[in-house]
Amino acid sequence: MVRKIRISFAALIFGLGLQSVSAQTELNANRGHSHNDYKQSIPLLTAYQAEMGSIEADVFLRNGELYVAHESSEIREGATLKKLYLDPLIEFYKVNGNHPYANPKLKLQLVIDIKQDYRDVLPTLLKEISGNPEVFNSIKNPNAIQLTISGNVPKPEDFKNYPEFISFDGRPYINYNSGELKRVAMISDDLKNYTAWNGKGNPTKTDEVKLKQVIDKAHQQGKNLRFWATQDSPNTWIVLERLGVDWINTDHPDKLREFYSHKEKLTYTNPVSYPVYTPTYRTDGVKKRAKNIILLIGDGMGLAQIHAGLMANHGDLNISRMHNIGFALTSAADAGNTDSAAGATALATGHKTNNRYIGMGPDNLKKTNLVDTLFGRGIKSGVISVGDVTDATPAAFYAHQPDRSMNNEIAHDLLQSKVEILVGSNQKSFFKNKDQNLISGLQTKGFNLINSLNDFKQQSAGKQLVLVPDSATRAVLKGRGDWLKQSLLHSISILSKNKGGFFIMAEGAQIDYGGHDNNLPIVITELHDFDKTVEAALRFADLDGETLVIVTADHETGGLTLLDTAPEKGMVRAAFSTNDHTNIAVPVFAYGPGAEDFKGMYQNNEIFYKIIKAYKLK
């Protein structure tokens, strides 16, 4: 009966897709050592599914059988090494075509930590595996499961008295001769013998030297090294890896696997930095009217995203050169966490609203936005997004709908908007709108319809509706180029001809995409693209002398945490706590006339009124 249960359990494991998971072995998930594995709620299987390369079981001999437990007082009926480890591993090995894992590149060692006299335990262990010698005989079969004996082990000179396929867990303070060293599978020791480091931050330089010495000695002997009694956290794993430790000790194999299996999405290196612009600061904070205002919104861009971009650009950003800095609180009217619809509506109308609402208050009434307000004062506006132009952030500046998903209705609202230039993707919502007269209606309103950035650059005046194919607003990593920066520069060239001044909102939409996908390379490359657009705005502000530049976000996305940075290399390593928005306050940077008014901490809808004040409008 027990045998049948184990077979069905093995079938279940493989049915869950273990083989497909194994495809990511290059991300080092197989470097984990499942410490005291029998303490897992599901011994062996938790570590096995996490593809640990090393699994440890402490054993005691009772009545001729080996039991797994940390202390003899913890021995419980049925918890034998054979039942919990040996028999399932033998079965998995055979199901995998004589490999420990479905992925033949993955290796596995079973570490038996003997808690009693090895002279009693080892003969019993050899007897228990005698029926399947090929599974554990790594001498004859390089694909076999490596058996490594730890804890109470024979003296090095007695290693030769045991079968060659039995290896031993060595210690750095023992001087092995060449024959003995061949029987050592790895070198292990207690981390506390070398440092008081608790896993937070880094060890002291003195302790690092001690750790490196023991690691380097093991490597010179051709052996992998493991420390036990290490803290179990991403920071610890990163430091141990950087020091050169080969086996990462863990009591949480599933979390370690998660950490390594997403390494490509959580690590980014930018070998060559781009230059940043140093503003003149001549008009920065000057108390005079701003004729023009450029509002740059990094969708999903919190402080962690900015700092990640800073480190990846070797310690500098155009954004970081701005001196007037504040913080905006982003909660929606109906929730602590805002979405882009409520967040952008607060910025565009000065009213907090419910999530998903576009240009409407929680009272379900339309709220006048900046674009329409400023038009009545002779100020013309442009709205740009490096994404869907009917999506929440750009839509809040020209539309009024009770749900952000109403793309057709949002597109239709352009007929009533005073916006002069609208740039972004999503041709479908306009050209295949349920109102078949939408396009002709927009043309009647004076819009020139354009479907490429190159054609847009040929225009020098008039109202422009630039609807590019979705492929044109693909990610920077997929070759979009400086589309956002060029769109801003040409919008400025058209709108700056207006004697009354202009207002432009330009959105770095895809920083948010990277946050939702928990993809650090996307977050950073999109932020760098956005930062280069900030540079263009700052340069224009210096040349013009009457332009205020504001840089902020509608919310933070992803709960980004930076685990490790090396600005000299442009390297960032991170983790995300969610795939959604968070309630973290977002920074507000300002440069130019009236910039000082954006210092401090305030609700996000206050930015609307600060913009009105900067124009010296009532």
Side-chain angles (χ1 to χ4, degrees), residues 447-462:
F447 278 104
N448 180 30
L449 268 64
I450 303 168
N451 62 11
S452 76
L453 181 58
N454 286 336
D455 287 345
F456 177 42
K457 288 181 177 180
Q458 305 307 311
Q459 311 304 313
S460 58

Side-chain angles (χ1 to χ4, degrees), residues 35-205:
H35 176 246
N36 292 345
D37 182 80
Y38 49 88
K39 287 193 170 185
Q40 297 293 328
S41 57
I42 307 177
L44 175 65
L45 297 184
T46 300
Y48 189 82
Q49 280 193 287
E51 298 178 336
M52 295 291 99
S54 182
I55 298 175
E56 175 189 342
D58 293 358
V59 299
F60 291 86
L61 181 62
R62 287 291 183 274
N63 301 320
E65 284 192 281
L66 296 177
Y67 286 82
V68 292
H70 191 62
E71 303 287 347
S72 59
S73 60
E74 298 174 1
I75 293 174
R76 59 184 177 83
E77 185 177 354
T80 65
L81 180 69
K82 188 175 189 299
K83 179 180 177 181
L84 295 182
Y85 290 90
L86 299 180
D87 285 350
L89 285 174
I90 289 167
E91 185 177 344
F92 288 140
Y93 183 85
K94 292 176 180 178
V95 171
N96 289 325
N98 297 332
H99 290 89
Y101 286 104
N103 185 334
K105 294 180 180 180
L106 297 183
K107 302 297 183 182
L108 176 61
Q109 76 167 349
L110 179 62
V111 178
I112 308 297
D113 192 335
I114 299 176
K115 295 298 185 179
Q116 295 171 302
D117 192 327
Y118 68 88
R119 287 168 290 195
D120 297 324
V121 173
L122 281 177
T124 304
L125 174 63
L126 292 171
K127 180 180 177 181
E128 290 188 351
I129 66 171
S130 60
N132 295 275
E134 74 285 355
V135 177
F136 300 100
N137 193 333
S138 56
I139 300 298
K140 292 184 178 180
N141 178 12
N143 297 319
I145 297 169
Q146 171 71 57
L147 267 182
T148 300
I149 308 303
S150 187
N152 190 298
V153 301
K155 294 179 180 178
E157 58 266 29
D158 293 331
F159 288 171
K160 63 181 182 296
N161 298 331
Y162 294 89
E164 288 187 355
F165 65 86
I166 295 289
S167 295
F168 298 92
D169 186 12
R171 298 292 178 262
Y173 46 80
I174 297 177
N175 293 317
Y176 300 98
N177 63 38
S178 59
E180 295 162 354
L181 198 58
K182 289 180 181 179
R183 304 297 300 275
V184 173
M186 62 179 175
I187 303 293
S188 303
D189 205 355
D190 188 337
L191 184 73
K192 293 182 176 60
N193 289 335
Y194 305 93
T195 179
W197 174 57
N198 63 358
K200 298 178 177 68
N202 295 308
T204 65
K205 293 300 179 184

Side-chain angles (χ1 to χ4, degrees), residues 174-248:
I174 297 177
N175 293 317
Y176 300 98
N177 63 38
S178 59
E180 295 162 354
L181 198 58
K182 289 180 181 179
R183 304 297 300 275
V184 173
M186 62 179 175
I187 303 293
S188 303
D189 205 355
D190 188 337
L191 184 73
K192 293 182 176 60
N193 289 335
Y194 305 93
T195 179
W197 174 57
N198 63 358
K200 298 178 177 68
N202 295 308
T204 65
K205 293 300 179 184
T206 300
D207 286 355
E208 274 199 16
V209 170
K210 295 177 185 176
L211 292 167
K212 281 295 290 178
Q213 285 175 343
V214 70
I215 294 167
D216 290 346
K217 179 183 176 182
H219 291 170
Q220 289 164 9
Q221 294 174 313
K223 302 300 175 184
N224 291 331
L225 185 123
R226 172 181 71 101
F227 287 118
W228 70 77
T230 59
Q231 290 295 311
D232 218 4
S233 68
N235 182 71
T236 304
W237 304 335
I238 288 170
V239 172
L240 292 176
E241 181 183 333
R242 187 173 68 236
L243 290 171
V245 171
D246 303 284
W247 290 114
I248 305 299

Side-chain angles (χ1 to χ4, degrees), residues 314-326:
H314 299 237
D316 210 353
L317 287 176
N318 294 291
I319 295 173
S320 67
R321 299 298 179 96
M322 302 173 75
H323 291 167
N324 295 284
I325 305 170

Side-chain angles (χ1 to χ4, degrees), residues 401 406-416 427-445 449:
Q401 294 297 333
M406 300 170 70
N407 303 84
N408 281 282
E409 291 80 2
I410 288 169
H412 196 271
D413 279 351
L414 186 58
L415 286 169
Q416 309 304 321
Q427 296 176 344
K428 180 181 178 181
S429 290
F430 290 85
F431 292 107
K432 295 184 179 181
N433 196 280
K434 57 187 178 183
D435 178 1
Q436 297 180 5
N437 297 317
L438 175 59
I439 295 301
S440 60
L442 290 169
Q443 290 173 326
T444 300
K445 290 283 185 178
L449 268 64

